[in-house]
Amino acid sequence: MTHQKDTLFEIGDRIVYISLPERVQKSDSVAYPVLMALHGSGRNALNYLPGQEESVSFYVHQRNLALKNGYLFVVLSNGNDTWGTDLGLKNLLKVYEYIRSNYKVKEKWVLWGTSAGGVQMFRMIRNHPEKIERIIGTFPVYDLEEAYSRRKSANFIWQSREEFKSINPATFPEKLINIPMLIFHGRKDQAVPYEKHSLRLKKEVNALGGSVKLRTVSGGHSTSNWKVYKNHQINKFLSK
């Protein structure tokens, strides 16, 4: 089976972007690792595709690191459902099944959640830990209640606390203890304060026996904060 290096297609009405490392193109005899990116609020799969009008270098960098380490890279345009909705989770599972059916890949994947995508990432771990090997987070949302309390738009996906009460990652740290995590977060983040999200995640999950490595850096919640990318640490984490 031969595949193009970069592929765009739709599952339902959602755009999916897949990129293959060079060695995937040369051999179909080995099952390759997969890294699935979970974008933040207001972002989409095209932000990760280089050389396009919607390309965002901050997100393209995640794609490049995945390819460099021999991973098949995939990202779904999940819209506001990246905030952890049932539909968002179903969309991710559709992509998972599509990749498993059409490419020779490993069963357990690496997830890379950014900002709001962290909610969907943690929910994926709780609901389908058998599909997840490890995760990387860049200023990921952990406490959905805290994020809800500082929402600035009437169009925020969650309109009441009751809607997300059962899926708030901060309410199930015990479900996250078996997945190694490497988290990067800016200490001046005003949108997703690191003390209330990543630091809390580390304390609560590790206290239960988990494995969360948190790397705090200067700067805030921005695609211009390249300090959240410690490439040597990410490469080492992906090579395990």
Side-chain angles (χ1 to χ4, degrees):
M1 184 181 297
T2 301
H3 300 285
Q4 297 179 0
K5 177 177 175 56
D6 290 300
T7 303
L8 286 172
F9 64 98
E10 292 186 4
I11 290 183
D13 61 347
R14 305 298 176 107
I15 294 176
V16 180
Y17 168 47
I18 298 173
S19 190
L20 305 181
E22 293 298 326
R23 57 178 179 163
V24 170
Q25 300 178 75
K26 295 177 181 178
S27 173
D28 287 322
S29 63
V30 178
Y32 289 91
V34 177
L35 188 151
M36 174 185 272
L38 308 177
H39 63 76
S41 180
R43 301 296 181 174
N44 63 71
L46 296 180
N47 298 152
Y48 296 78
L49 177 60
Q52 306 297 312
E53 183 177 351
E54 293 189 56
S55 300
V56 177
S57 57
F58 184 88
Y59 289 99
V60 172
H61 188 67
Q62 295 182 14
R63 172 255 195 197
N64 291 344
L65 286 171
L67 297 183
K68 177 182 178 180
N69 285 280
Y71 283 74
L72 180 154
F73 176 81
V74 59
V75 57
L76 162 76
S77 290
N78 220 352
N80 279 338
D81 292 297
T82 198
W83 279 100
T85 67
D86 290 345
L87 178 58
L89 184 61
K90 290 179 181 179
N91 290 337
L92 293 182
L93 294 176
K94 287 179 181 178
V95 174
Y96 179 89
E97 294 303 330
Y98 177 90
I99 297 293
R100 291 274 292 162
S101 297
N102 290 277
Y103 296 82
K104 190 174 180 62
V105 298
K106 294 182 177 180
E107 182 178 4
K108 289 190 173 185
W109 292 10
V110 174
L111 301 182
W112 192 330
T114 300
S115 191
V119 183
Q120 197 71 76
M121 176 172 68
F122 295 128
R123 190 175 183 194
M124 186 75 169
I125 294 173
R126 184 185 72 170
N127 289 58
H128 299 281
E130 76 283 356
K131 293 177 170 56
I132 312 302
E133 179 184 11
R134 59 189 62 236
I135 70 163
I136 301 173
T138 40
F139 36 76
V141 173
Y142 171 62
D143 183 2
L144 193 47
E145 165 65 30
E146 196 281 334
Y148 176 82
S149 70
R150 62 173 58 245
R151 67 197 188 285
K152 296 181 180 180
S153 171
N155 295 322
F156 190 69
I157 186 67
W158 302 109
Q159 294 300 302
S160 73
R161 289 177 169 84
E162 288 302 314
E163 291 180 329
F164 64 79
K165 183 178 180 180
S166 65
I167 60 95
N168 182 4
T171 65
F172 51 82
E174 73 281 357
K175 300 295 184 179
L176 307 177
I177 63 175
N178 295 318
I179 306 297
M181 305 183 192
L182 178 61
I183 308 295
F184 299 93
H185 213 130
R187 290 185 292 274
K188 294 184 178 181
D189 193 329
Q190 299 299 310
V192 183
Y194 89 95
E195 302 97 331
K196 298 181 180 180
H197 291 270
S198 293
L199 184 58
R200 181 180 173 187
L201 167 72
K202 177 185 176 181
K203 289 180 177 179
E204 294 182 348
V205 174
N206 286 358
L208 296 172
S211 179
V212 179
K213 294 182 179 179
L214 173 61
R215 304 291 184 258
T216 59
V217 300
S218 59
H221 196 93
S222 171
T223 55
S224 64
N225 186 8
W226 284 79
K227 292 181 179 179
V228 297
Y229 291 134
K230 301 298 184 183
N231 291 343
H232 66 287
Q233 295 181 21
I234 295 171
N235 289 332
K236 183 178 180 180
F237 190 73
L238 290 176
S239 66
K240 293 181 178 179

